[in-house]
Amino acid sequence: TGLCLGLATSLLLWMAYFPLAWGWLSWIALVPFLALVRLDLSSKALFCCAYLSGSAFFWPALQWMRVADYRM
């Protein structure tokens, strides 16, 4: 369940940026992440879920760079 909460945050944050640009969604995008932090998990599992969810947001969010210049 922890990884699902992290991935839900990643998806919601991604939807707040360029291709969809639903900025209003950023107000509720961190709610699943806050629920993840409140789970009774070991520190290692919590950091792993947080790292994976951050990576799942970061790499797709970089796609806006290809719009800035055709060489990217």
Side-chain angles (χ1 to χ4, degrees):
T1 61
L3 190 57
C4 292
L5 289 171
L7 292 177
T9 295
S10 300
L11 179 67
L12 291 171
L13 280 175
W14 177 79
M15 290 167 51
Y17 281 89
F18 170 66
L20 298 177
W22 294 345
W24 56 269
L25 199 56
S26 62
W27 289 99
I28 59 171
L30 293 177
V31 171
F33 187 73
L34 293 174
L36 169 66
V37 172
R38 299 286 295 174
L39 285 179
D40 188 25
L41 294 174
S42 68
S43 296
K44 186 175 181 175
L46 183 63
F47 289 135
C48 184
C49 289
Y51 178 79
L52 290 175
S53 65
S55 296
F57 164 70
F58 178 71
W59 293 109
L62 286 179
Q63 66 88 27
W64 68 267
M65 292 176 67
R66 67 178 171 81
V67 178
D69 190 1
Y70 69 94
R71 292 174 290 196
M72 292 188 180

